Amino acid sequence: MGVRNGLSVDVEDWFQVGAFETTIARSDWDGLERRVEANTDRVLALFEEAGAKGTFFTLGWVAERHPRLIRRIAEAGHEVASHGWDHARVFTMTPEQFRTDLARARTVLEDAGGVAVTGYRAPSFSIDRRTPWAHAELAEAGYRYSSSIAPIAHDHYGWPDAPRAPFRPLPDAGLIELPITIARVLGREVTAGGGFFRLLPQGVTDRAIRTANAEGKAAMFYFHPWEIDPGQPRVHAAPLKSRLRHYARLGAMAGKLRTLLAAHEWGRVDKVAERAAERFA
């Protein structure tokens, strides 16, 4: 068996994504068609087919409305982790607001799943140099790990000079940060997952995972349930760039995921964090 990589799903609905945050108001969310439960069930079926376990970083907003989905995730042996309450980026909050967001989401997730929540991923990888207090808040709240940093330059997110391997962001706490894996294509750095995985040739992500594994490191891969849903509603009022990013190649995503799952060893992110913590002990 090779290195077991982190398999993660950011559980949010089609209208909750960063690409539409200036087009669709949060106050309108409850009036929109919810597709996250059916799409996440499709992801669960894909994972069962591949014999893979993963981590579902889930919005508290979703868990409150779909508690049985959270229970199914946990009962299938996957990790339930937090993606915050309603996809607000961390750098838009004060430390006090972040603390409230963490507690609200965790309470709903734990009640729905019947399991402890010890992992966190910031919406849109929004822990960066603007939030020097965020890791301390996570540690104080009792989180064991975070996977909230994308060490690249991007117009929506990124912390280019952040470490690219697991690290302890605080000298006096055991919290582990697991940055998302970075791939290279035509001299540009991109994240190994999400839209880049959907839009670019499969080999780009495969190569990034193999490179990490050859160095004895676990890769960190992510995607969203809405990315396997070509039938989702179209937001015609969104900027063209956002629409191109969001809707391109949705029909190809499930097949690409099946191929990727079969090509590498996968596991829950909390297990990756445990192995990283052992190296710092």
Side-chain angles (χ1 to χ4, degrees), residues 54-120:
T55 292
F56 288 71
F57 292 102
T58 307
L59 293 180
W61 190 98
V62 170
E64 184 178 63
R65 289 156 178 80
H66 302 280
R68 287 179 293 182
L69 171 64
I70 310 306
R71 180 70 64 156
R72 289 198 296 276
I73 290 169
E75 289 178 347
H78 304 291
E79 181 191 9
V80 175
S82 176
H83 200 33
W85 179 256
D86 65 353
H87 216 261
R89 300 183 194 229
V90 177
F91 55 70
T92 68
M93 293 186 264
T94 65
E96 293 75 19
Q97 290 169 331
F98 183 53
R99 197 175 307 139
T100 299
D101 185 273
L102 288 175
R104 186 182 184 191
R106 186 188 228 167
T107 296
V108 172
L109 287 163
E110 291 188 337
D111 286 349
V115 292
V117 169
T118 63
Y120 174 79

Short mmCIF file of all heavy atoms in Angstrom, two decimals, residues 54-120:
data_model
loop_
_atom_site.label_atom_id
_atom_site.label_comp_id
_atom_site.label_asym_id
_atom_site.label_seq_id
_atom_site.Cartn_x
_atom_site.Cartn_y
_atom_site.Cartn_z
N GLY A 54 -13.45 9.28 3.31
CA GLY A 54 -13.02 10.66 3.18
C GLY A 54 -13.59 11.53 4.29
O GLY A 54 -14.23 11.04 5.24
N THR A 55 -13.36 12.82 4.15
CA THR A 55 -13.84 13.82 5.10
C THR A 55 -14.78 14.77 4.40
O THR A 55 -14.47 15.26 3.31
CB THR A 55 -12.66 14.59 5.71
OG1 THR A 55 -11.89 13.70 6.53
CG2 THR A 55 -13.12 15.77 6.55
N PHE A 56 -15.92 15.03 5.04
CA PHE A 56 -16.94 15.91 4.49
C PHE A 56 -16.97 17.19 5.32
O PHE A 56 -17.57 17.23 6.40
CB PHE A 56 -18.29 15.21 4.48
CG PHE A 56 -18.40 14.12 3.45
CD1 PHE A 56 -17.70 12.92 3.61
CD2 PHE A 56 -19.17 14.28 2.30
CE1 PHE A 56 -17.78 11.90 2.67
CE2 PHE A 56 -19.26 13.27 1.35
CZ PHE A 56 -18.56 12.08 1.52
N PHE A 57 -16.28 18.23 4.82
CA PHE A 57 -16.28 19.54 5.48
C PHE A 57 -17.61 20.21 5.12
O PHE A 57 -17.82 20.66 3.99
CB PHE A 57 -15.11 20.39 4.99
CG PHE A 57 -13.76 19.90 5.41
CD1 PHE A 57 -12.95 19.20 4.53
CD2 PHE A 57 -13.28 20.14 6.69
CE1 PHE A 57 -11.69 18.75 4.90
CE2 PHE A 57 -12.03 19.69 7.09
CZ PHE A 57 -11.23 18.99 6.19
N THR A 58 -18.51 20.28 6.10
CA THR A 58 -19.90 20.63 5.82
C THR A 58 -20.31 21.94 6.48
O THR A 58 -19.96 22.20 7.64
CB THR A 58 -20.82 19.50 6.32
OG1 THR A 58 -20.38 18.25 5.77
CG2 THR A 58 -22.26 19.74 5.92
N LEU A 59 -21.06 22.75 5.75
CA LEU A 59 -21.61 23.98 6.31
C LEU A 59 -22.64 23.65 7.38
O LEU A 59 -23.49 22.77 7.21
CB LEU A 59 -22.28 24.82 5.23
CG LEU A 59 -21.40 25.43 4.14
CD1 LEU A 59 -22.27 26.22 3.17
CD2 LEU A 59 -20.31 26.32 4.73
N GLY A 60 -22.62 24.40 8.48
CA GLY A 60 -23.65 24.24 9.49
C GLY A 60 -25.04 24.53 8.93
O GLY A 60 -26.02 23.89 9.31
N TRP A 61 -25.14 25.47 8.02
CA TRP A 61 -26.42 25.80 7.37
C TRP A 61 -27.00 24.58 6.68
O TRP A 61 -28.21 24.33 6.75
CB TRP A 61 -26.17 26.92 6.36
CG TRP A 61 -27.39 27.58 5.76
CD1 TRP A 61 -27.96 28.74 6.16
CD2 TRP A 61 -28.15 27.12 4.64
NE1 TRP A 61 -29.04 29.03 5.36
CE2 TRP A 61 -29.18 28.05 4.42
CE3 TRP A 61 -28.08 26.01 3.80
CZ2 TRP A 61 -30.12 27.92 3.39
CZ3 TRP A 61 -29.01 25.86 2.79
CH2 TRP A 61 -30.02 26.80 2.59
N VAL A 62 -26.15 23.81 6.02
CA VAL A 62 -26.60 22.58 5.36
C VAL A 62 -27.00 21.54 6.39
O VAL A 62 -28.05 20.89 6.26
CB VAL A 62 -25.50 22.04 4.42
CG1 VAL A 62 -25.85 20.64 3.91
CG2 VAL A 62 -25.26 22.99 3.25
N ALA A 63 -26.19 21.36 7.40
CA ALA A 63 -26.49 20.35 8.42
C ALA A 63 -27.79 20.62 9.13
O ALA A 63 -28.54 19.69 9.47
CB ALA A 63 -25.34 20.27 9.43
N GLU A 64 -28.10 21.89 9.39
CA GLU A 64 -29.34 22.23 10.07
C GLU A 64 -30.55 21.81 9.25
O GLU A 64 -31.57 21.39 9.82
CB GLU A 64 -29.38 23.74 10.33
CG GLU A 64 -30.58 24.21 11.11
CD GLU A 64 -30.54 25.69 11.39
OE1 GLU A 64 -30.56 26.49 10.42
OE2 GLU A 64 -30.46 26.07 12.58
N ARG A 65 -30.44 21.90 7.93
CA ARG A 65 -31.58 21.59 7.06
C ARG A 65 -31.59 20.14 6.57
O ARG A 65 -32.62 19.65 6.11
CB ARG A 65 -31.57 22.55 5.87
CG ARG A 65 -31.95 23.97 6.28
CD ARG A 65 -31.41 25.03 5.32
NE ARG A 65 -31.86 26.36 5.75
CZ ARG A 65 -31.27 27.05 6.74
NH1 ARG A 65 -30.23 26.52 7.40
NH2 ARG A 65 -31.72 28.25 7.07
N HIS A 66 -30.45 19.47 6.68
CA HIS A 66 -30.35 18.09 6.20
C HIS A 66 -29.64 17.21 7.23
O HIS A 66 -28.60 16.60 6.94
CB HIS A 66 -29.59 18.04 4.86
CG HIS A 66 -30.22 18.86 3.78
ND1 HIS A 66 -31.31 18.43 3.06
CD2 HIS A 66 -29.91 20.10 3.32
CE1 HIS A 66 -31.65 19.36 2.18
NE2 HIS A 66 -30.83 20.39 2.31
N PRO A 67 -30.17 17.13 8.44
CA PRO A 67 -29.47 16.36 9.49
C PRO A 67 -29.31 14.88 9.16
O PRO A 67 -28.31 14.27 9.56
CB PRO A 67 -30.35 16.58 10.73
CG PRO A 67 -31.69 16.94 10.19
CD PRO A 67 -31.43 17.72 8.94
N ARG A 68 -30.27 14.30 8.45
CA ARG A 68 -30.14 12.87 8.13
C ARG A 68 -28.99 12.61 7.18
O ARG A 68 -28.38 11.53 7.19
CB ARG A 68 -31.46 12.35 7.56
CG ARG A 68 -32.56 12.20 8.62
CD ARG A 68 -33.86 11.71 8.04
NE ARG A 68 -34.46 12.71 7.15
CZ ARG A 68 -35.61 12.57 6.53
NH1 ARG A 68 -36.31 11.44 6.68
NH2 ARG A 68 -36.08 13.51 5.75
N LEU A 69 -28.67 13.59 6.33
CA LEU A 69 -27.50 13.46 5.45
C LEU A 69 -26.22 13.37 6.28
O LEU A 69 -25.34 12.54 6.00
CB LEU A 69 -27.42 14.65 4.49
CG LEU A 69 -26.14 14.77 3.65
CD1 LEU A 69 -26.00 13.58 2.70
CD2 LEU A 69 -26.11 16.09 2.88
N ILE A 70 -26.11 14.20 7.29
CA ILE A 70 -24.91 14.19 8.14
C ILE A 70 -24.79 12.85 8.86
O ILE A 70 -23.70 12.29 8.98
CB ILE A 70 -24.96 15.35 9.16
CG1 ILE A 70 -25.28 16.67 8.46
CG2 ILE A 70 -23.64 15.43 9.92
CD1 ILE A 70 -24.35 17.00 7.30
N ARG A 71 -25.92 12.33 9.29
CA ARG A 71 -25.90 11.02 9.96
C ARG A 71 -25.46 9.93 8.99
O ARG A 71 -24.68 9.04 9.35
CB ARG A 71 -27.29 10.71 10.51
CG ARG A 71 -27.40 9.38 11.23
CD ARG A 71 -26.65 9.35 12.54
NE ARG A 71 -27.18 10.30 13.51
CZ ARG A 71 -27.04 10.18 14.81
NH1 ARG A 71 -26.39 9.15 15.33
NH2 ARG A 71 -27.51 11.11 15.63
N ARG A 72 -25.92 10.00 7.73
CA ARG A 72 -25.51 8.99 6.74
C ARG A 72 -24.01 9.07 6.47
O ARG A 72 -23.35 8.03 6.29
CB ARG A 72 -26.29 9.18 5.43
CG ARG A 72 -27.75 8.80 5.53
CD ARG A 72 -28.38 8.58 4.17
NE ARG A 72 -28.42 9.78 3.34
CZ ARG A 72 -29.36 10.72 3.41
NH1 ARG A 72 -30.33 10.62 4.32
NH2 ARG A 72 -29.35 11.76 2.60
N ILE A 73 -23.48 10.27 6.42
CA ILE A 73 -22.03 10.43 6.21
C ILE A 73 -21.27 9.73 7.33
O ILE A 73 -20.33 8.95 7.09
CB ILE A 73 -21.66 11.92 6.15
CG1 ILE A 73 -22.20 12.56 4.86
CG2 ILE A 73 -20.15 12.11 6.24
CD1 ILE A 73 -22.11 14.08 4.84
N ALA A 74 -21.66 10.00 8.57
CA ALA A 74 -20.97 9.42 9.72
C ALA A 74 -21.14 7.90 9.76
O ALA A 74 -20.17 7.16 10.03
CB ALA A 74 -21.48 10.06 11.01
N GLU A 75 -22.35 7.43 9.50
CA GLU A 75 -22.60 5.99 9.57
C GLU A 75 -21.88 5.21 8.49
O GLU A 75 -21.62 4.02 8.65
CB GLU A 75 -24.11 5.74 9.51
CG GLU A 75 -24.84 6.18 10.78
CD GLU A 75 -26.34 5.99 10.70
OE1 GLU A 75 -26.85 5.74 9.58
OE2 GLU A 75 -27.00 6.09 11.76
N ALA A 76 -21.52 5.88 7.40
CA ALA A 76 -20.76 5.22 6.34
C ALA A 76 -19.27 5.17 6.65
O ALA A 76 -18.49 4.63 5.85
CB ALA A 76 -21.00 5.94 5.01
N GLY A 77 -18.86 5.73 7.78
CA GLY A 77 -17.45 5.66 8.18
C GLY A 77 -16.60 6.83 7.74
O GLY A 77 -15.38 6.80 7.90
N HIS A 78 -17.24 7.87 7.22
CA HIS A 78 -16.52 9.06 6.81
C HIS A 78 -16.43 10.05 7.97
O HIS A 78 -17.22 9.98 8.92
CB HIS A 78 -17.21 9.72 5.61
CG HIS A 78 -17.39 8.80 4.44
ND1 HIS A 78 -16.34 8.35 3.68
CD2 HIS A 78 -18.51 8.23 3.92
CE1 HIS A 78 -16.80 7.55 2.73
NE2 HIS A 78 -18.10 7.46 2.86
N GLU A 79 -15.51 10.97 7.87
CA GLU A 79 -15.38 12.00 8.90
C GLU A 79 -16.32 13.17 8.60
O GLU A 79 -16.39 13.66 7.48
CB GLU A 79 -13.94 12.52 8.96
CG GLU A 79 -13.74 13.59 10.03
CD GLU A 79 -12.40 14.31 9.95
OE1 GLU A 79 -11.67 14.12 8.96
OE2 GLU A 79 -12.09 15.07 10.88
N VAL A 80 -17.02 13.63 9.63
CA VAL A 80 -17.80 14.86 9.56
C VAL A 80 -16.95 15.97 10.14
O VAL A 80 -16.49 15.88 11.29
CB VAL A 80 -19.12 14.74 10.34
CG1 VAL A 80 -19.86 16.07 10.36
CG2 VAL A 80 -20.00 13.64 9.74
N ALA A 81 -16.70 17.02 9.36
CA ALA A 81 -15.88 18.14 9.81
C ALA A 81 -16.58 19.44 9.44
O ALA A 81 -17.58 19.45 8.71
CB ALA A 81 -14.48 18.07 9.19
N SER A 82 -16.07 20.54 9.94
CA SER A 82 -16.74 21.83 9.80
C SER A 82 -16.21 22.65 8.63
O SER A 82 -15.00 22.73 8.39
CB SER A 82 -16.60 22.65 11.09
OG SER A 82 -17.16 23.93 10.93
N HIS A 83 -17.14 23.29 7.93
CA HIS A 83 -16.82 24.26 6.88
C HIS A 83 -17.36 25.64 7.27
O HIS A 83 -17.58 26.50 6.41
CB HIS A 83 -17.45 23.78 5.57
CG HIS A 83 -16.86 24.37 4.33
ND1 HIS A 83 -15.52 24.70 4.21
CD2 HIS A 83 -17.43 24.68 3.13
CE1 HIS A 83 -15.29 25.17 2.99
NE2 HIS A 83 -16.44 25.20 2.33
N GLY A 84 -17.59 25.82 8.59
CA GLY A 84 -18.18 27.07 9.05
C GLY A 84 -19.69 27.03 8.91
O GLY A 84 -20.28 26.03 8.52
N TRP A 85 -20.33 28.16 9.24
CA TRP A 85 -21.78 28.18 9.24
C TRP A 85 -22.38 28.39 7.86
O TRP A 85 -23.12 27.57 7.35
CB TRP A 85 -22.31 29.25 10.19
CG TRP A 85 -23.81 29.27 10.17
CD1 TRP A 85 -24.62 30.19 9.56
CD2 TRP A 85 -24.67 28.28 10.70
NE1 TRP A 85 -25.94 29.83 9.68
CE2 TRP A 85 -25.99 28.66 10.39
CE3 TRP A 85 -24.46 27.10 11.43
CZ2 TRP A 85 -27.10 27.90 10.77
CZ3 TRP A 85 -25.57 26.34 11.82
CH2 TRP A 85 -26.87 26.75 11.48
N ASP A 86 -22.06 29.52 7.20
CA ASP A 86 -22.75 29.85 5.96
C ASP A 86 -21.80 30.36 4.86
O ASP A 86 -22.19 31.16 4.02
CB ASP A 86 -23.85 30.88 6.21
CG ASP A 86 -23.32 32.23 6.68
OD1 ASP A 86 -22.09 32.34 6.93
OD2 ASP A 86 -24.12 33.18 6.79
N HIS A 87 -20.58 29.83 4.89
CA HIS A 87 -19.59 30.12 3.84
C HIS A 87 -19.07 31.56 3.86
O HIS A 87 -18.55 32.06 2.87
CB HIS A 87 -20.13 29.78 2.44
CG HIS A 87 -19.07 29.24 1.51
ND1 HIS A 87 -18.43 30.03 0.57
CD2 HIS A 87 -18.53 28.01 1.40
CE1 HIS A 87 -17.56 29.29 -0.10
NE2 HIS A 87 -17.59 28.06 0.40
N ALA A 88 -19.18 32.22 5.01
CA ALA A 88 -18.55 33.52 5.15
C ALA A 88 -17.03 33.33 5.22
O ALA A 88 -16.55 32.48 5.98
CB ALA A 88 -19.05 34.23 6.39
N ARG A 89 -16.30 34.11 4.45
CA ARG A 89 -14.84 33.99 4.47
C ARG A 89 -14.28 34.50 5.80
O ARG A 89 -14.77 35.48 6.35
CB ARG A 89 -14.25 34.77 3.31
CG ARG A 89 -14.74 34.26 1.96
CD ARG A 89 -14.08 35.00 0.82
NE ARG A 89 -14.80 34.75 -0.42
CZ ARG A 89 -14.22 34.38 -1.56
NH1 ARG A 89 -12.92 34.20 -1.61
NH2 ARG A 89 -14.94 34.19 -2.65
N VAL A 90 -13.25 33.83 6.28
CA VAL A 90 -12.72 34.14 7.61
C VAL A 90 -12.22 35.58 7.67
O VAL A 90 -12.43 36.27 8.67
CB VAL A 90 -11.60 33.15 7.99
CG1 VAL A 90 -10.99 33.52 9.34
CG2 VAL A 90 -12.14 31.72 8.03
N PHE A 91 -11.62 36.07 6.60
CA PHE A 91 -11.06 37.42 6.65
C PHE A 91 -12.14 38.52 6.62
O PHE A 91 -11.81 39.70 6.72
CB PHE A 91 -10.01 37.65 5.56
CG PHE A 91 -10.46 37.38 4.16
CD1 PHE A 91 -11.38 38.20 3.52
CD2 PHE A 91 -9.95 36.30 3.47
CE1 PHE A 91 -11.77 37.96 2.22
CE2 PHE A 91 -10.34 36.03 2.16
CZ PHE A 91 -11.26 36.88 1.53
N THR A 92 -13.41 38.13 6.49
CA THR A 92 -14.49 39.11 6.60
C THR A 92 -15.04 39.20 8.01
O THR A 92 -15.92 40.02 8.28
CB THR A 92 -15.66 38.75 5.65
OG1 THR A 92 -16.30 37.54 6.10
CG2 THR A 92 -15.17 38.56 4.22
N MET A 93 -14.53 38.36 8.93
CA MET A 93 -15.03 38.31 10.30
C MET A 93 -14.01 38.86 11.28
O MET A 93 -12.80 38.85 11.02
CB MET A 93 -15.36 36.86 10.68
CG MET A 93 -16.52 36.25 9.92
SD MET A 93 -16.96 34.59 10.53
CE MET A 93 -16.05 33.54 9.39
N THR A 94 -14.50 39.31 12.42
CA THR A 94 -13.64 39.60 13.55
C THR A 94 -13.36 38.29 14.30
O THR A 94 -14.06 37.29 14.09
CB THR A 94 -14.32 40.58 14.52
OG1 THR A 94 -15.48 39.94 15.08
CG2 THR A 94 -14.76 41.86 13.80
N PRO A 95 -12.37 38.26 15.17
CA PRO A 95 -12.16 37.04 15.96
C PRO A 95 -13.40 36.61 16.73
O PRO A 95 -13.69 35.41 16.80
CB PRO A 95 -11.02 37.43 16.90
CG PRO A 95 -10.25 38.46 16.13
CD PRO A 95 -11.30 39.24 15.40
N GLU A 96 -14.15 37.57 17.25
CA GLU A 96 -15.36 37.22 18.00
C GLU A 96 -16.42 36.61 17.08
O GLU A 96 -17.09 35.63 17.44
CB GLU A 96 -15.92 38.46 18.69
CG GLU A 96 -15.04 39.02 19.80
CD GLU A 96 -13.81 39.77 19.27
OE1 GLU A 96 -13.80 40.17 18.07
OE2 GLU A 96 -12.86 39.93 20.05
N GLN A 97 -16.58 37.17 15.90
CA GLN A 97 -17.54 36.61 14.95
C GLN A 97 -17.12 35.22 14.49
O GLN A 97 -17.96 34.33 14.32
CB GLN A 97 -17.67 37.55 13.75
CG GLN A 97 -18.38 38.85 14.06
CD GLN A 97 -18.26 39.86 12.93
OE1 GLN A 97 -17.29 39.86 12.17
NE2 GLN A 97 -19.26 40.72 12.82
N PHE A 98 -15.82 35.02 14.29
CA PHE A 98 -15.31 33.71 13.90
C PHE A 98 -15.57 32.68 14.98
O PHE A 98 -16.00 31.55 14.71
CB PHE A 98 -13.81 33.82 13.61
CG PHE A 98 -13.16 32.56 13.11
CD1 PHE A 98 -13.66 31.87 12.02
CD2 PHE A 98 -12.02 32.07 13.72
CE1 PHE A 98 -13.06 30.71 11.55
CE2 PHE A 98 -11.40 30.92 13.26
CZ PHE A 98 -11.91 30.24 12.17
N ARG A 99 -15.37 33.08 16.23
CA ARG A 99 -15.61 32.18 17.35
C ARG A 99 -17.08 31.74 17.38
O ARG A 99 -17.39 30.56 17.57
CB ARG A 99 -15.24 32.91 18.64
CG ARG A 99 -15.05 32.05 19.86
CD ARG A 99 -14.58 32.91 21.03
NE ARG A 99 -13.42 33.71 20.67
CZ ARG A 99 -13.24 34.99 21.02
NH1 ARG A 99 -14.15 35.61 21.75
NH2 ARG A 99 -12.15 35.63 20.65
N THR A 100 -17.97 32.68 17.16
CA THR A 100 -19.40 32.37 17.14
C THR A 100 -19.75 31.46 15.97
O THR A 100 -20.53 30.50 16.11
CB THR A 100 -20.22 33.66 17.05
OG1 THR A 100 -19.94 34.47 18.21
CG2 THR A 100 -21.71 33.38 16.98
N ASP A 101 -19.18 31.74 14.81
CA ASP A 101 -19.41 30.93 13.61
C ASP A 101 -18.96 29.49 13.85
O ASP A 101 -19.68 28.54 13.51
CB ASP A 101 -18.63 31.55 12.44
CG ASP A 101 -18.88 30.87 11.12
OD1 ASP A 101 -18.17 29.88 10.82
OD2 ASP A 101 -19.75 31.33 10.36
N LEU A 102 -17.78 29.32 14.43
CA LEU A 102 -17.26 27.98 14.71
C LEU A 102 -18.18 27.21 15.65
O LEU A 102 -18.51 26.03 15.41
CB LEU A 102 -15.88 28.07 15.35
CG LEU A 102 -14.69 28.48 14.48
CD1 LEU A 102 -13.45 28.63 15.34
CD2 LEU A 102 -14.45 27.46 13.38
N ALA A 103 -18.60 27.86 16.73
CA ALA A 103 -19.42 27.19 17.73
C ALA A 103 -20.79 26.83 17.18
O ALA A 103 -21.31 25.72 17.42
CB ALA A 103 -19.56 28.08 18.96
N ARG A 104 -21.39 27.73 16.41
CA ARG A 104 -22.73 27.47 15.87
C ARG A 104 -22.70 26.28 14.91
O ARG A 104 -23.55 25.39 14.98
CB ARG A 104 -23.22 28.72 15.16
CG ARG A 104 -24.65 28.64 14.66
CD ARG A 104 -25.03 29.91 13.92
NE ARG A 104 -26.43 29.87 13.52
CZ ARG A 104 -26.98 30.74 12.68
NH1 ARG A 104 -26.24 31.73 12.16
NH2 ARG A 104 -28.26 30.64 12.35
N ALA A 105 -21.71 26.26 14.02
CA ALA A 105 -21.63 25.17 13.05
C ALA A 105 -21.34 23.85 13.74
O ALA A 105 -21.96 22.82 13.43
CB ALA A 105 -20.54 25.48 12.02
N ARG A 106 -20.42 23.85 14.68
CA ARG A 106 -20.04 22.60 15.32
C ARG A 106 -21.20 21.98 16.09
O ARG A 106 -21.40 20.76 16.06
CB ARG A 106 -18.86 22.86 16.27
CG ARG A 106 -18.28 21.61 16.89
CD ARG A 106 -17.27 21.97 17.95
NE ARG A 106 -16.05 21.22 17.83
CZ ARG A 106 -14.93 21.52 18.48
NH1 ARG A 106 -14.89 22.58 19.26
NH2 ARG A 106 -13.85 20.78 18.35
N THR A 107 -21.96 22.81 16.78
CA THR A 107 -23.09 22.28 17.56
C THR A 107 -24.07 21.54 16.66
O THR A 107 -24.51 20.43 16.98
CB THR A 107 -23.79 23.43 18.29
OG1 THR A 107 -22.89 24.00 19.25
CG2 THR A 107 -25.04 22.93 19.01
N VAL A 108 -24.41 22.14 15.54
CA VAL A 108 -25.38 21.52 14.63
C VAL A 108 -24.80 20.26 14.00
O VAL A 108 -25.48 19.24 13.87
CB VAL A 108 -25.82 22.53 13.55
CG1 VAL A 108 -26.67 21.86 12.48
CG2 VAL A 108 -26.59 23.67 14.18
N LEU A 109 -23.54 20.30 13.58
CA LEU A 109 -22.91 19.14 12.97
C LEU A 109 -22.82 17.97 13.93
O LEU A 109 -23.11 16.82 13.57
CB LEU A 109 -21.51 19.51 12.46
CG LEU A 109 -21.45 20.40 11.22
CD1 LEU A 109 -20.06 21.01 11.07
CD2 LEU A 109 -21.80 19.60 9.97
N GLU A 110 -22.42 18.23 15.17
CA GLU A 110 -22.30 17.15 16.14
C GLU A 110 -23.66 16.58 16.52
O GLU A 110 -23.80 15.36 16.69
CB GLU A 110 -21.54 17.65 17.37
CG GLU A 110 -20.07 17.94 17.07
CD GLU A 110 -19.24 18.26 18.29
OE1 GLU A 110 -19.82 18.69 19.32
OE2 GLU A 110 -18.01 18.10 18.24
N ASP A 111 -24.65 17.44 16.65
CA ASP A 111 -25.99 16.95 16.97
C ASP A 111 -26.53 16.08 15.84
O ASP A 111 -27.16 15.04 16.08
CB ASP A 111 -26.94 18.12 17.22
CG ASP A 111 -26.69 18.81 18.55
OD1 ASP A 111 -25.93 18.25 19.37
OD2 ASP A 111 -27.24 19.90 18.76
N ALA A 112 -26.29 16.50 14.60
CA ALA A 112 -26.81 15.75 13.45
C ALA A 112 -26.06 14.45 13.23
O ALA A 112 -26.66 13.41 12.94
CB ALA A 112 -26.75 16.61 12.19
N GLY A 113 -24.74 14.49 13.36
CA GLY A 113 -23.93 13.32 13.04
C GLY A 113 -23.71 12.37 14.20
O GLY A 113 -23.36 11.20 13.99
N GLY A 114 -23.89 12.84 15.42
CA GLY A 114 -23.64 12.00 16.58
C GLY A 114 -22.18 11.68 16.77
O GLY A 114 -21.85 10.65 17.39
N VAL A 115 -21.29 12.53 16.24
CA VAL A 115 -19.85 12.32 16.34
C VAL A 115 -19.18 13.65 16.71
O VAL A 115 -19.74 14.72 16.47
CB VAL A 115 -19.25 11.80 15.01
CG1 VAL A 115 -19.73 10.39 14.71
CG2 VAL A 115 -19.59 12.74 13.85
N ALA A 116 -17.98 13.55 17.27
CA ALA A 116 -17.22 14.76 17.58
C ALA A 116 -16.65 15.36 16.30
O ALA A 116 -16.21 14.64 15.40
CB ALA A 116 -16.10 14.43 18.55
N VAL A 117 -16.66 16.68 16.22
CA VAL A 117 -16.09 17.40 15.08
C VAL A 117 -14.77 18.03 15.51
O VAL A 117 -14.75 18.90 16.39
CB VAL A 117 -17.07 18.48 14.56
CG1 VAL A 117 -16.39 19.41 13.56
CG2 VAL A 117 -18.29 17.81 13.94
N THR A 118 -13.67 17.59 14.92
CA THR A 118 -12.34 18.06 15.32
C THR A 118 -11.56 18.68 14.17
O THR A 118 -10.43 19.12 14.37
CB THR A 118 -11.52 16.90 15.90
OG1 THR A 118 -11.31 15.90 14.90
CG2 THR A 118 -12.22 16.28 17.11
N GLY A 119 -12.14 18.71 12.96
CA GLY A 119 -11.45 19.27 11.79
C GLY A 119 -12.21 20.43 11.21
O GLY A 119 -13.44 20.51 11.30
N TYR A 120 -11.49 21.35 10.59
CA TYR A 120 -12.10 22.57 10.05
C TYR A 120 -11.44 22.93 8.72
O TYR A 120 -10.23 22.78 8.56
CB TYR A 120 -11.92 23.74 11.02
CG TYR A 120 -12.38 25.07 10.48
CD1 TYR A 120 -13.73 25.40 10.45
CD2 TYR A 120 -11.47 25.99 9.99
CE1 TYR A 120 -14.16 26.61 9.95
CE2 TYR A 120 -11.88 27.22 9.49
CZ TYR A 120 -13.24 27.53 9.47
OH TYR A 120 -13.66 28.73 8.96
#
